[in-house]
Amino acid sequence: MRIGILGSGLMGGKLGTILARAGHDVVFSYSRSQKKLERLAREAGDRARVGTPAEAVTDADAVLLAVHWSRVDDVLAQAGSLSRKTLVTCSLPMTKNDSRMVLGLTTSGAEHLAARRRKAHVVSAFSTVPSEVLFAVFEKRKRKTRPDLVFCGNHKAARKIAATLIRDVGFNPVDLGELSAAR
């Protein structure tokens, strides 16, 4: 599968690296530092490369949105059309200083994204797990019992793609159903 990574922070960097090592073709994008993107791609292996957000999205089967909420508008503007793309988001709707959530009681960040990008198939996943455990979970992915990871979305095929990615990272995917469960 081809995966576009929008974000090079802890989550985007680690998930992109793991997905490349799991056999997916990964395009890292969106960083203040081109050198950081190049380092991530190099460390992830032969299946990873660097591109712009638009290049990361163009041929992607799935796009991982892993940026701070304050940067979502900018990265989505750079990414271009997400029509019929599976957009897996782990971005939580937090204030710029991370002191509180800006959405969550009547809608979630994922629902907000889905309303703004109506033709994208938004799935909320990976927002309930700290980045610090990702490599350890991936290294132990062959175990019979895996840790659960919840996800949700309104599009059945997009949820199936997300479940595959969750499994490839090393978790047991637990489908919560509709995107409203992201609240």
Side-chain angles (χ1 to χ4, degrees), residues 36-112:
K36 180 178 184 179
L37 290 173
E38 291 167 1
R39 179 184 50 79
L40 283 170
R42 188 174 50 255
E43 290 174 359
D46 294 339
R47 299 197 74 119
R49 66 182 180 86
V50 173
T52 66
E55 291 167 341
V57 168
T58 299
D59 294 323
D61 299 302
V63 176
L64 174 68
L65 178 63
V67 298
H68 191 278
W69 192 254
S70 63
R71 299 187 182 283
V72 166
D73 289 338
D74 183 48
V75 73
L76 291 180
Q78 290 184 43
S81 176
L82 294 168
S83 181
R84 296 191 301 250
K85 296 286 183 184
T86 295
L87 178 63
V88 178
T89 179
C90 62
S91 295
L92 294 172
M94 301 295 291
T95 58
K96 195 166 188 166
N97 68 0
D98 291 326
S99 63
R100 63 180 173 80
M101 293 185 74
V102 295
L103 298 170
L105 298 177
T106 59
T107 191
S108 66
E111 289 171 295
H112 181 76

Side-chain angles (χ1 to χ4, degrees), residues 124-129 134 147-151 166 171-175:
S124 178
F126 298 108
S127 60
T128 60
V129 62
L134 294 173
D148 290 340
L149 190 123
V150 297
F151 69 103
I166 290 166
F171 291 95
N172 175 52
V174 177
D175 189 342

Side-chain angles (χ1 to χ4, degrees), residues 113-128:
L113 287 171
R116 293 181 59 222
R117 294 290 193 267
R118 293 195 182 279
K119 294 183 180 181
H121 306 302
V122 177
V123 177
S124 178
F126 298 108
S127 60
T128 60

Side-chain angles (χ1 to χ4, degrees), residues 14-25:
K14 288 179 181 182
L15 286 171
T17 297
I18 289 168
L19 290 168
R21 290 177 183 172
H24 299 283
D25 295 315

